[in-house]
């Protein structure tokens, strides 16, 4: 029997600076065959390094953004068996030099694959029960992740969960989506029902239906993903 993808929003507010997309530029290829490098992790280590949770951050020429926001991720991501992964989308600034000084796994893409393509490459390189996508310009607060993971563990029928978020900087707003699964579907008729900036996926459920981001759908690649997930 084909598994249905269910989505839910769990309220655990984090804050986000309103600067626009953090890992995106023009797309060149969305395929997953191009070689990538994973710094400081051997092939044998990668093969045996299955984690419960992988937090995946996409970066492109965002050294200053990483310096501002990555420390909060390192400080407040206090859950067992978690790996913090930063995929660098072919940066030409000093992002990689900075990342190599931090306690994170670095995936260095050889060129800029855009937002969707970059995330697809990164997700293909991690192996975890839960995949967490986190924008690079997000300042997380205590318990941001353990709240969502506890919900996912307690509700095995739910395959996708996200937070509410508070914007600061150019905009001062709080965004909260619907929490009832049926209301989530109704919301999807009008706008994105899930806040991509921090979302937790049950990896096997998405793999079972072959879901990936589509670069041609940028800047609505997340909306496209959620609607295809609900229809799967």
């Amino acid at each position: 029997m084909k598994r249905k993808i269910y989505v839910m929003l769990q309220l655990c507010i984090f804050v986000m600076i309103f600067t626009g997309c953090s890992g995106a530029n023009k797309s060149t290829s969305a395929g997953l065959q191009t070689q990538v490098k994973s710094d400081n992790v051997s092939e044998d280590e990668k093969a045996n390094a299955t984690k419960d949770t992988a937090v995946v951050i996409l970066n492109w020429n965002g050294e200053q953004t990483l310096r501002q926001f990555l420390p909060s991720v390192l400080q407040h991501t206090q859950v067992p068996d978690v790996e913090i992964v930063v995929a660098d989308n072919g940066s030409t600034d000093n992002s990689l030099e900075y990342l190599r000084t931090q306690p994170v796994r670095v995936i260095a893409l050889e060129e800029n694959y855009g937002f969707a393509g970059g995330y697809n490459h990164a997700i293909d390189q991690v192996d975890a029960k839960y995949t967490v996508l986190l924008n690079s310009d997000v300042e997380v607060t205590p318990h941001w992740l353990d709240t969502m993971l506890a919900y996912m563990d307690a509700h095995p029928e739910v395959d996708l969960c996200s937070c509410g978020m508070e914007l600061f900087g150019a905009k001062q707003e709080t965004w909260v989506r619907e929490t009832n699964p049926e209301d989530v579907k109704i919301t999807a008729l009008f706008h994105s029902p899930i806040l991509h900036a921090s979302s937790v996926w049950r990896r096997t459920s998405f793999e079972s239906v072959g879901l990936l981001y589509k670069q041609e759908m940028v800047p609505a690649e997340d909306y496209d993903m959620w609607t295809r997930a609900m229809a799967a």
Side-chain angles (χ1 to χ4, degrees), residues 60-62 88-95 97:
W60 179 73
N61 284 349
D88 185 77
N89 222 357
S91 291
T92 56
D93 65 356
N94 293 321
S95 292
E97 286 75 4

Side-chain angles (χ1 to χ4, degrees), residues 5-168:
I5 301 279
Y6 287 96
V7 297
M8 179 65 69
L9 183 140
Q10 179 70 13
L11 183 59
C12 53
I13 295 292
F14 60 95
V15 294
M16 177 180 179
I17 188 168
F18 191 79
T19 58
C21 294
S22 56
N25 196 359
K26 291 194 229 176
S27 165
T28 53
S29 170
L32 293 178
Q33 301 304 313
T34 301
Q35 182 181 4
V36 298
K37 297 186 294 181
S38 181
D39 293 355
N40 304 320
V41 182
S42 70
E43 292 303 317
D44 288 340
E45 286 173 328
K46 285 191 289 184
N48 297 311
T50 300
K51 298 288 185 181
D52 276 350
T53 307
V55 178
V56 181
I57 300 169
L58 185 64
N59 172 71
W60 179 73
N61 284 349
E63 178 193 359
Q64 296 307 313
T65 298
L66 291 169
R67 288 182 181 275
Q68 182 175 357
F69 295 104
L70 185 59
S72 75
V73 179
L74 297 174
Q75 179 182 358
H76 297 308
T77 307
Q78 302 296 327
V79 297
D81 202 26
V82 63
E83 178 180 44
I84 298 175
V85 180
V86 181
D88 185 77
N89 222 357
S91 291
T92 56
D93 65 356
N94 293 321
S95 292
L96 283 175
E97 286 75 4
Y98 169 71
L99 288 171
R100 287 167 180 151
T101 69
Q102 302 301 304
V104 299
R105 176 182 167 195
V106 180
I107 297 176
L109 301 176
E110 295 183 337
E111 58 184 276
N112 185 352
Y113 291 97
F115 190 86
Y119 263 125
N120 286 345
H121 278 283
I123 292 168
D124 189 53
Q125 297 295 309
V126 300
D127 186 8
K129 178 181 178 181
Y130 296 123
T131 299
V132 184
L133 300 188
L134 182 68
N135 283 13
S136 63
D137 57 350
V138 169
E139 179 180 312
V140 301
T141 53
H143 308 297
W144 75 280
L145 183 55
D146 45 326
T147 301
M148 290 192 289
L149 294 180
Y151 187 90
M152 295 286 280
D153 283 340
H155 296 83
E157 75 282 3
V158 173
D159 300 304
L160 173 62
C161 179
S162 76
C163 287
M165 67 183 183
E166 180 180 351
L167 277 66
F168 64 96

Side-chain angles (χ1 to χ4, degrees), residues 30 32 120 123 201 206 210-214 221 224-225 228:
L32 293 178
N120 286 345
I123 292 168
W201 307 10
F206 277 73
L211 288 174
L212 289 172
Y213 286 111
K214 293 182 177 180
E221 72 291 331
D224 171 68
M225 169 73 89
R228 286 188 291 122

